[in-house]
Amino acid sequence: MMHFENTLAFAQQLDQKDSLKQFRERFCFPTFHEKEIRYFTGNSLGLQPKTVKNYILEELDAWAEYGVEGHFLAKRPWFAYHENLTEMAAKVVGAKSIEVVVTHSLTTNLHLLMVSFYQPKGKRTKILCEAKAFPSDQYALESQVKFHGLDPAEHLIEIAPRTGEQLIHEEDILAAIETHADEIALIMIGGVNYYTGQLFDMEKITKAGHKIGAVVGFDLAHAAGNINLKLHDWGVDFAAWCGYKYLNSSPGGVSGMFVHERHAYKPELPRFAGWWGYDKETRFLMQPGFNPMKGAEGWQLSNAPVLGMAAHLASLEIFEEAGMDRIGQKRDLMTAYMEFVIDSISKQNSERVQFEIITPRDKTKRGAQLSIMAKGQGKALFDALSAEGVVADWREPNVIRIAPAPLYNSFEDCYWFGQLLEKAIQ
Ligand SMILES: *Cc1c(COP(=O)(O)O)cnc(C)c1O
């Protein structure tokens, strides 16, 4: 491991050497606080790229100028607006263009994909998932099971951390897949757990799932734009993610869907259909009977929500320029530095507080997020941090989640987080 120092000079040195450092100034940093904001919630809502405003204004102007004809006359015709996003989004998640579409919102897309890929039949009726998944995913999974007339208590297999532990052992997931080999219809897991920041080996889980004849999908809300994904090569059947966390594409912004190429040419797959999923060449003949587009585009229901997509376009261009390889390298270094800073502060103040980083220490098992458990301190510590201008995330009973985002956070931010944490302890 690299030698680190918890000093301002050292953090500034790391910033000097950072090949992504010029990207920071392309984002709007919040100004609502009297203190300088230290923003660490890119895992919740990414900051606004400065180009977003113009991209949205262009569409507002096109609407004003053309009215409905903007569908064809706008600089980027609305009729096919989502096509501007596909290739760049596909690169971010390691997919082919035919496997990706951007539209709707995340939970909607999870449902649409499960309608197609959760098909309980005979003895194979169960969904394997992680315990304490993000609440929306829990509700989605439960309601999908009930939708098929089944009982969630019996048909959801939840893999939990072992007693007294925070993280899930990957071997427990693999063992459960073996144990329930002929009962599992679908494996659906968050690629990165939102609470602990634990990254799962999606390739290994996919292979294990396919070996027993199950379908495998992932919620990538905390992985897209954060982890170096290879969805196509890993053979994942389907995935969905939101655009507003690490992807910085506006609150409630558009979501991405991945459907593996092997499912691209199956019009017979059950699905909830809408006109925008209909074959583009003959869509406006408005004929009865649904003829889906090939690939992920066949899961679209509605015409493109252009304003949200304009924000996503501006943001994806930044990802295109920076590249996920460089983003991943900085993510690993900066997260390791943040970890070092927290450990240093923790050691120096051990008589007052015990910090335990519950996120895996192994960089191959996490992304940009660190979840810190503050033993012996509660919400007061978090409130004191907030009063100093730190924007982080609090989860009951005592976890602070922070995510230094490689595109706009600096090593100096991490240093100051440590200083402000120390001040808050005292
Ligand atoms: C953020 C997040 C969501 C949010 O879903 P929306 O439909 O965008 O509100 C869902 N699942 C996970 C795992 C998340 O992290």
Side-chain angles (χ1 to χ4, degrees):
M1 204 180 96
M2 195 176 162
H3 165 77
F4 287 137
E5 289 170 27
N6 184 20
T7 63
L8 181 58
F10 187 83
Q12 286 172 339
Q13 231 178 61
L14 287 175
D15 282 326
Q16 277 307 316
K17 287 187 232 150
D18 171 14
S19 80
L20 294 178
K21 63 172 176 286
Q22 79 278 13
F23 283 90
R24 180 176 172 91
E25 64 200 40
R26 304 222 203 149
F27 290 86
C28 307
F29 277 78
T31 54
F32 65 91
H33 207 279
E34 75 260 19
K35 303 249 167 81
E36 187 179 342
I37 296 275
R38 306 283 169 186
Y39 197 81
F40 295 107
T41 40
N43 56 344
S44 187
L45 179 64
L47 290 180
Q48 181 185 144
K50 288 179 180 166
T51 42
V52 161
K53 199 181 259 177
N54 263 338
Y55 278 55
I56 291 180
L57 280 176
E58 274 180 23
E59 301 313 327
L60 290 177
D61 287 345
W63 180 19
E65 188 175 350
Y66 302 118
V68 70
E69 298 302 333
H71 279 106
F72 305 100
L73 299 180
K75 180 170 119 194
R76 302 184 188 92
W78 303 333
F79 165 71
Y81 197 98
H82 71 275
E83 291 173 10
N84 296 303
L85 309 171
T86 306
E87 226 167 281
M88 290 189 287
K91 261 198 226 172
V92 168
V93 297
K96 296 188 176 183
S97 294
I98 195 170
E99 296 173 320
V100 167
V101 71
V102 174
T103 191
H104 316 141
S105 53
L106 172 55
T107 309
T108 308
N109 284 342
L110 284 175
H111 274 301
L112 292 175
L113 291 165
M114 281 196 276
V115 159
S116 298
F117 293 108
Y118 172 49
Q119 290 297 317
K121 270 193 203 81
K123 215 180 154 207
R124 205 177 274 286
T125 56
K126 299 189 177 174
I127 303 179
L128 183 136
C129 59
E130 88 254 46
K132 287 206 233 153
F134 192 86
S136 196
D137 298 46
Q138 292 181 35
Y139 308 142
L141 290 167
E142 271 180 37
S143 59
Q144 284 285 333
V145 169
K146 286 187 186 166
F147 179 71
H148 289 279
L150 303 171
D151 176 8
E154 193 185 331
H155 294 270
L156 282 181
I157 304 167
E158 294 190 348
I159 310 301
R162 295 180 189 172
T163 314
E165 296 185 16
Q166 300 292 336
L167 302 174
I168 295 173
H169 288 252
E170 225 153 55
E171 69 229 52
D172 291 351
I173 297 178
L174 300 174
I177 292 174
E178 285 297 319
T179 308
H180 301 278
D182 54 357
E183 299 169 355
I184 299 174
L186 170 66
I187 297 168
M188 233 299 287
I189 292 177
V192 173
N193 182 272
Y194 81 101
Y195 183 74
T196 62
Q198 179 176 14
L199 163 65
F200 294 105
D201 187 332
M202 290 178 245
E203 183 175 22
K204 208 185 249 177
I205 293 171
T206 302
K207 295 226 155 86
H210 285 170
K211 204 169 131 211
I212 62 146
V215 177
V216 184
F218 292 96
D219 182 333
L220 301 177
H222 282 264
N226 176 26
I227 303 300
N228 302 84
L229 301 165
K230 292 198 168 75
L231 297 184
H232 175 84
D233 292 349
W234 295 342
V236 171
D237 289 291
F238 71 90
W241 56 92
C242 51
Y244 51 80
K245 291 176 179 163
Y246 293 96
L247 290 175
N248 313 321
S249 302
S250 83
V254 283
S255 152
M257 275 193 267
F258 167 89
V259 177
H260 197 278
E261 196 177 25
R262 77 174 79 88
H263 304 297
Y265 309 99
K266 293 183 184 167
E268 72 281 8
L269 271 178
R271 70 183 94 195
F272 286 168
W275 71 325
W276 233 249
Y278 196 96
D279 175 43
K280 195 165 104 176
E281 306 309 322
T282 54
R283 185 179 300 156
F284 291 96
L285 299 178
M286 308 277 195
Q287 286 168 335
F290 185 71
N291 178 23
M293 298 212 38
K294 295 176 181 69
E297 288 187 314
W299 273 265
Q300 296 173 105
L301 298 184
S302 303
N303 74 95
V306 167
L307 300 184
M309 285 183 176
H312 199 31
L313 180 62
S315 175
L316 283 174
E317 285 178 355
I318 294 178
F319 277 86
E320 179 79 6
E321 196 182 329
M324 280 309 298
D325 286 346
R326 277 200 298 170
I327 291 173
Q329 283 159 18
K330 180 170 175 188
R331 172 202 64 220
D332 286 345
L333 186 62
M334 196 163 54
T335 311
Y337 186 61
M338 184 62 117
E339 181 181 35
F340 170 81
V341 167
I342 294 164
D343 285 341
S344 306
I345 299 299
S346 184
K347 260 184 232 139
Q348 285 156 25
N349 297 276
S350 56
E351 74 291 352
R352 284 175 198 265
V353 68
Q354 297 261 281
F355 288 118
E356 184 195 340
I357 295 177
I358 61 174
T359 306
R361 296 278 181 173
D362 174 354
K363 73 174 174 5
T364 67
K365 297 283 168 210
R366 70 184 183 200
Q369 175 179 322
L370 292 175
S371 301
I372 311 161
M373 196 175 267
K375 292 181 194 155
Q377 297 251 358
K379 183 89 188 325
L381 173 75
F382 179 78
D383 292 341
L385 261 178
S386 304
E388 293 296 332
V390 172
V391 182
D393 175 88
W394 173 259
R395 294 282 143 157
E396 294 293 339
N398 58 355
V399 167
I400 298 171
R401 298 186 311 162
I402 50 167
L407 280 174
Y408 50 77
N409 278 119
S410 63
F411 292 89
E412 194 177 325
D413 285 337
C414 301
Y415 168 77
W416 284 115
F417 178 80
Q419 294 302 296
L420 297 173
L421 184 65
E422 184 158 46
K423 195 167 168 195
I425 294 168
Q426 289 161 0

